[in-house]
Each structure stands twice: as C-alpha cells, then as structure tokens.
Amino acid sequence: MTREKREDYIYSRAYELAATGLHLEPITIVSALIKEGYPEAAEVLDNPLVRNDLRRVCARNWPGVAAEKPASGAEHHAPRKRRRKPPSKDLS
C-alpha cells in the first residue's frame, strides 16, 4: 500500500473509530490505529483541526450524551433580559 493510500485509510478509519462510541479522545483512536499496524497514525493525525473534528465525533457518539445536550454536559441557558427603567418624567 502506498503512503498516500495508508494515510487515506488512517483518516477514514479514525472517523470510523470515533463514530463507534468507544472513544472519547483522539489519543485513544491513535492507540487503536497503532495496534492495528499503523505506527504513522500519530503523525498523520497530528493536526489540531483533525483532532478537534475527531473529538466532536467522539463526543457526539459517546454513550450517555443526549442528542439535544452539548457534549460538554454544561447546559446553556438563554441570556436573561434586562429590565428597562421606565422613562423619567421630566416636569420642567
């Protein structure tokens, strides 16, 4: 297999592993790929954009994360509206 094909496979396999719900972080995906015989996986996936994208896929598929809730578990509430002061009556 050529280097380019191996890299393409590593990318696609990384996303497959992220979608399984068995991984929470890209580092465990890299470990799995190394165990599968792809020692260059750490170098291929060493890109902040790829890691962040894999992290999102992992979080979306991690068991116990509800679809409507953010992956971080933090709830986001709508900002509270400020009350306006009534206009002052100018008696001049």
Side-chain angles (χ1 to χ4, degrees), residues 25-36:
E25 289 291 328
I27 190 69
T28 60
I29 293 170
V30 170
S31 295
L33 287 166
I34 290 171
K35 287 180 184 176
E36 289 181 9

Side-chain angles (χ1 to χ4, degrees), residues 15-72:
Y15 281 94
E16 286 174 7
L17 290 170
T20 64
L22 299 174
H23 301 275
L24 185 56
E25 289 291 328
I27 190 69
T28 60
I29 293 170
V30 170
S31 295
L33 287 166
I34 290 171
K35 287 180 184 176
E36 289 181 9
Y38 297 93
E40 70 272 27
E43 182 183 335
V44 171
L45 300 174
D46 186 26
N47 177 309
L49 297 175
V50 172
R51 285 193 310 269
N52 287 336
D53 197 35
L54 285 172
R55 198 171 282 114
R56 278 192 292 272
V57 175
C58 288
R60 194 171 44 236
N61 293 287
W62 187 253
V65 176
E68 62 276 356
K69 290 186 180 178
S72 67

